[in-house]
Amino acid sequence: MSKTVVQPRTKTKPQTARPPLYKVILLNDDYTPREFVVQVLKAVFRMNADRAYGVMMTAHRRGACVIAVYARDVAETKAKEATELGKQKGYPLFFTTEPEE
Ligand code: TYC
């Protein structure tokens, strides 16, 4: 009967791999009040008032704005949570995610 011989590991994996990051993107719409968008950005993405206002206005003027990048599960959870806050108020506010290039 042959026995499996376990050799000591001689190669070490380079410890440089990082999880791919995902962008959270805020989309403009015609109905959600500006002030409410600012509130959501502050609450979910921990932005100060100035940054939240700037991000909201960028989405308002350009149609969309990248908010931040996170590991995939964090990005998806925050996008869902923020979209849900709008939904609870009957607003079409929408946050999406996409992988960073
Ligand atoms: N466009 C909205 C309004 O004029 C405000 C708004 C800004 C909504 C950014 C969504 O991502 C958004 N009331």
Side-chain angles (χ1 to χ4, degrees):
M1 207 221 303
S2 71
K3 287 230 172 99
T4 304
V5 177
V6 179
Q7 300 288 356
R9 189 173 63 170
T10 55
K11 287 183 193 162
T12 52
K13 219 175 171 187
Q15 301 292 302
T16 51
R18 288 186 179 72
L21 294 175
Y22 278 68
K23 301 183 273 193
V24 177
I25 301 161
L26 167 64
L27 301 182
N28 187 37
D29 67 71
D30 291 339
Y31 303 101
T32 309
R34 292 180 186 195
E35 184 46 44
F36 184 77
V37 180
V38 168
Q39 265 185 46
V40 171
L41 292 173
K42 284 159 74 178
V44 178
F45 300 95
R46 313 230 143 252
M47 287 184 195
N48 65 33
D50 284 356
R51 177 144 170 69
Y53 185 78
V55 165
M56 180 279 292
M57 285 308 292
T58 299
H60 178 72
R61 294 198 181 105
R62 302 170 68 105
C65 183
V66 174
I67 293 174
V69 293
Y70 301 100
R72 184 177 184 168
D73 60 335
V74 177
E76 286 174 352
T77 302
K78 283 183 182 283
K80 206 186 276 177
E81 212 175 290
T83 298
E84 186 56 37
L85 288 175
K87 210 172 186 176
Q88 282 169 15
K89 295 264 185 183
Y91 298 136
L93 182 64
F94 196 71
F95 294 79
T96 187
T97 62
E98 68 174 52
E100 203 184 40
E101 323 60 54

